Amino acid sequence: MLVSRLLRTSPSSSLRVVGLAAAGLLLSSACGPGDHSGQDPPKKEGLDAKAKAKADAEKARAAKEAEAAAKPAWTWTLPAGLSKPPEVPADNEMTAAKVALGHQLFMDKRLSGDGSRSCYSCHQNELGNADGRKMALGAGDKPLTRNTPTIWNVGYHAELYWDGRAAGLEKQMIGAWKGGNMGAGDDLDAKAAEIGGLPEYKAQFKDVFGLSGTEAVTPDHVAKAISAYERTLLCGETPYDTGELEGPSQRGWELFRDRGCRTCHDGDNFTDGKFHNVGISVGSAKKPGDIGRGKVSGSAEDNHKFRTPTLRNVAKTAPYFHDGSVATLKEAVQYMARGGDRKAPGIDPGLQDLKLTDAQLDDLVAFLEVLSCSGQLEVLGDQAVAGIPE
């Protein structure tokens, strides 16, 4: 596509545009005033200036696209256990400069409405790149209604949030930025322009997105940079991935593989990417709980369904489930292995009591513990936030 655009805006093409404009001018000049409804015929100088301005604009756009295409492509380095990189949207190509910019923005508290927290505040290394809280804590110390999931391998999720309401990282970033998480409010244009105008960011945004001196940084630019960085947060290279399971973790893997856990926790990222009702905080007819996916889809059949979480780094991200209601990994494994809350309406029929012994539950936990990431996010600046962790 880029090649065809460049061909359309080549110097010879520009000459043809000017030539055609000049030919049109001669034809219109040959016509009498009556052909212009009594108005004076247009002046040659005006048409020439307009054609030249159009040609110059086309050349500038082509040059901007050529400059973007010339930037080094991102080279993926995949850890063992991940067979392919995350999908990258066509309108947000990966470059090293964009990832570096996104990294800085991810760590910048000035993005939040009150300047109190960054994206990293809820995704800290010491807490499995979650926040260790039962429920997330937003800007202005506002308690939110769901648990914070890990940021590792987030680029592999097609739909973000527990209920899948954001189709892709870019949309999720916009939602979290303006909503309760970051609390920037509806006027993201002003916030983006403010961030883009900071001395440490001006040149970077211009370079990464090919902005002219007069173009303002938009929310879209910020979201694209941060999303590019988030796609690089890859979790693999664990004993499971390198074939180094032994003893309890090996037995746990065999149980996990053979007793149905892979039905929902399959693939490189140990998730099917779908939405299931596992009976957590369903509530009652008089006082229903969080309806989850049902609010997004508008279908009652999806009520109380939530996205299957990745099991990568799961041992470090307590408490568990969308409401943080289960405190430990052992309790979470026990709940699922016993078929969840069988009294909960609409519970997934695939969830059954596996009738495991306590020793087998311990082996399952041992397997999940080896899925922890060894890597860490590089922290920039002071990231302390009161209340996180609680």
Side-chain angles (χ1 to χ4, degrees):
M1 182 180 294
L2 177 58
V3 173
S4 64
R5 288 178 181 166
L6 289 172
L7 287 174
R8 286 202 300 271
T9 57
S10 65
S12 60
S13 177
S14 300
L15 290 174
R16 285 199 297 273
V17 171
V18 176
L20 288 171
L25 174 61
L26 290 174
L27 287 172
S28 63
S29 298
C31 299
D35 292 300
H36 295 280
S37 302
Q39 297 179 13
D40 291 333
K43 293 182 179 180
K44 181 178 186 300
E45 293 82 359
L47 281 182
D48 280 347
K50 187 179 292 186
K52 184 177 184 305
K54 183 178 179 181
D56 288 345
E58 288 292 328
K59 286 181 181 178
R61 182 162 61 248
K64 184 185 293 186
E65 291 176 351
E67 181 183 357
K71 292 175 182 175
W74 178 258
T75 300
W76 291 99
T77 302
L78 299 180
L82 301 184
S83 56
K84 62 181 181 179
E87 290 189 17
V88 177
D91 65 347
N92 192 22
E93 73 282 353
M94 300 282 290
T95 67
K98 185 183 291 182
V99 169
L101 173 59
H103 182 194
Q104 289 173 255
L105 292 166
F106 189 89
M107 300 283 174
D108 200 325
K109 293 181 178 180
R110 291 172 294 185
L111 257 70
S112 61
D114 59 2
S116 66
R117 65 206 61 226
S118 66
C119 301
Y120 179 80
S121 298
C122 292
H123 300 285
Q124 299 182 20
N125 287 322
E126 295 78 11
L127 302 166
N129 297 102
D131 63 7
R133 292 177 54 88
K134 181 176 179 179
M135 302 287 196
L137 186 68
D141 293 334
K142 178 183 178 182
L144 303 183
T145 59
R146 290 177 183 159
N147 177 262
T148 299
T150 183
I151 199 76
W152 286 111
N153 287 356
V154 69
Y156 290 102
H157 297 311
E159 297 166 300
L160 281 299
Y161 290 110
W162 282 100
D163 56 16
R165 65 184 181 272
L169 281 173
E170 288 77 8
K171 289 186 178 179
Q172 188 276 335
M173 172 56 206
I174 293 291
W177 190 13
K178 71 187 296 185
N181 299 82
M182 299 291 282
D186 292 329
D187 195 2
L188 287 188
D189 288 336
K191 174 60 79 171
E194 173 193 325
I195 295 295
L198 295 171
E200 59 269 42
Y201 285 127
K202 257 186 181 180
Q204 287 188 81
F205 274 107
K206 182 179 179 181
D207 176 62
V208 169
F209 294 103
L211 304 180
S212 70
T214 58
E215 287 182 279
V217 170
T218 68
D220 188 50
H221 295 135
V222 175
K224 284 182 174 180
I226 291 178
S227 297
Y229 168 66
E230 290 177 332
R231 290 189 174 95
T232 71
L233 305 179
L234 303 179
C235 174
E237 209 74 39
T238 70
Y240 165 78
D241 302 306
T242 56
E244 299 175 274
L245 298 178
E246 57 184 13
S249 62
Q250 177 64 37
R251 295 193 299 270
W253 158 241
E254 291 167 4
L255 286 166
F256 186 91
R257 178 192 65 197
D258 300 335
R259 302 296 288 272
C261 303
R262 294 180 70 188
T263 302
C264 297
H265 293 284
D266 198 16
D268 291 353
N269 207 25
F270 290 89
T271 173
D272 60 4
K274 296 179 181 179
F275 301 85
H276 301 276
N277 178 352
V278 298
I280 292 288
S281 63
V282 170
S284 63
K286 291 184 177 180
K287 191 177 180 181
D290 188 339
I291 65 172
R293 184 65 176 173
K295 185 175 181 179
V296 177
S297 70
S299 171
E301 292 183 0
D302 288 334
N303 283 355
H304 313 297
K305 291 183 179 181
F306 296 88
R307 180 168 54 83
T308 306
T310 177
L311 295 182
R312 296 277 185 182
N313 230 25
V314 67
K316 297 180 179 180
T317 55
Y320 298 99
F321 298 104
H322 67 274
D323 62 350
S325 60
V326 177
T328 69
L329 183 58
K330 175 72 176 285
E331 291 173 299
V333 170
Q334 187 176 57
Y335 176 85
M336 295 296 287
R338 291 181 178 172
D341 181 359
R342 306 310 306 165
K343 297 179 181 179
I347 192 169
D348 195 306
L351 201 58
Q352 299 293 326
D353 187 350
L354 302 181
K355 302 186 184 305
L356 301 183
T357 65
D358 285 343
Q360 287 175 316
L361 288 172
D362 288 339
D363 287 343
L364 263 180
V365 171
F367 167 65
L368 296 178
E369 286 175 342
V370 305
L371 297 180
S372 296
C373 307
S374 58
Q376 291 196 331
L377 278 62
E378 180 187 355
V379 179
L380 305 177
D382 176 18
Q383 295 297 328
V385 177
I388 303 176
E390 190 173 31

